[in-house]
Amino acid sequence: ELKVEQNPLFLSMQEGKNYTIYCNYSTTSDRLYWYRQDPGKSLESLFVLLSNGAVKQEGRLMASLDTKARLSTLHITAAVHDLSATYFCAVAFYGGSQGNLIFGKGTKLSVKP
Amino acid sequence: GAGVSQTPSNKVTEKGKYVELRCDPISGHTALYWYRQSLGQGPEFLIYFQGTGAADDSGLPNDRFFAVRPEGSVSTLKIQRTERGDSAVYLCASSQGQGQPQHFGDGTRLSIL
């Protein structure tokens, strides 16, 4: 069964602190995505990770991928209130005719002053 | 428009009624996806079109759900004999092809009374 597990599901942080969100997946994948979703809004693409050891950074967010461990991390550096949102990882499985993404349950991040 | 457009943005109807949800993908995108997102959960895959044909409909929950994309552009998700459990946000995404990043619309919030 294809599974994507994120932890933690809820994260309350103080501004200025660092933290990491983890994403584990159950089988070989072609690529892994991180999305951000604000309340009542759609999903905004943050990162696409294509290969083992891939690391991408945008502002205070950095994502990495370890395909051997089937693990991706989203690291938050010196959090600010504007980062408050729900973050999803999603894994693409392209065996056969599948083109869909399998999403984790999301990590709801709240950054407090 | 530049992005994926979904209409209506909100739909409220009574149990047992028929509904149609529309998705207008990004121009030139050959792949189109439908997902369903329940409160507090990640999006769940429903169906994927490559051109006019449904390449993978394994996520449709039962035969009350059906989707078409007759000209390879706009798609309509149809739900017959709606049930309260169908209440969710229905998201549409499009991409340039299989394996390319998926761009999401704002979704249709469906409420079954």
Side-chain angles (χ1 to χ4, degrees):
Chain A
E1 184 185 353
L2 305 176
K3 282 187 178 178
V4 178
E5 295 185 347
Q6 283 182 242
N7 71 84
L9 298 182
F10 297 93
L11 178 56
S12 181
M13 297 177 65
Q14 281 195 311
E15 281 192 328
K17 298 294 187 183
N18 305 333
Y19 209 83
T20 300
I21 299 170
Y22 296 88
C23 175
N24 288 93
Y25 54 97
S26 62
T27 190
T28 305
S29 169
D30 293 86
R31 59 200 65 205
L32 187 141
Y33 299 82
W34 283 96
Y35 286 90
R36 168 182 172 144
Q37 187 175 40
D38 292 289
K41 302 293 185 182
S42 191
L43 294 106
E44 174 192 354
S45 179
L46 296 174
F47 301 108
V48 180
L49 302 169
L50 300 177
S51 60
N52 188 43
V55 177
K56 291 198 173 178
Q57 183 163 5
E58 180 73 32
R60 300 173 188 275
L61 300 177
M62 183 174 71
S64 66
L65 179 62
D66 180 345
T67 58
K68 293 179 181 177
R70 295 177 186 163
L71 171 69
S72 180
T73 61
L74 181 66
H75 187 72
I76 303 155
T77 302
V80 293
H81 179 69
D82 285 352
L83 289 179
S84 297
T86 299
Y87 292 84
F88 291 96
C89 66
V91 180
F93 297 97
Y94 291 107
S97 64
Q98 285 184 309
N100 53 290
L101 297 177
I102 308 296
F103 283 81
K105 290 189 174 181
T107 297
K108 186 171 183 178
L109 172 65
S110 175
V111 181
K112 302 182 185 305
Chain B
V4 177
S5 175
Q6 290 187 247
T7 55
S9 54
N10 284 283
K11 176 72 176 178
V12 181
T13 192
E14 293 179 342
K15 178 174 176 289
K17 299 291 187 182
Y18 168 83
V19 295
E20 288 190 353
L21 311 179
R22 176 188 166 108
C23 173
D24 202 336
I26 293 172
S27 178
H29 280 193
T30 59
L32 185 145
Y33 310 80
W34 284 99
Y35 294 84
R36 178 168 72 174
Q37 187 175 22
S38 300
L39 192 63
Q41 301 294 316
E44 292 179 301
F45 169 74
L46 296 176
I47 187 169
Y48 153 55
F49 287 90
Q50 183 60 46
T52 59
D56 183 355
D57 64 357
S58 62
L60 295 178
N62 52 58
D63 61 6
R64 296 187 297 106
F65 288 74
F66 190 71
V68 295
R69 193 186 185 200
E71 298 179 357
S73 178
V74 171
S75 176
T76 305
L77 178 65
K78 308 180 181 193
I79 310 173
Q80 298 177 321
R81 304 183 303 280
T82 52
E83 299 177 358
R84 291 197 179 89
D86 299 335
S87 298
V89 175
Y90 289 80
L91 294 167
C92 177
S94 70
S95 70
Q96 289 183 323
Q98 187 185 39
Q100 299 302 310
Q102 296 181 23
H103 302 267
F104 283 81
D106 287 342
T108 294
R109 184 173 300 276
L110 177 64
S111 299
I112 308 299
L113 303 179

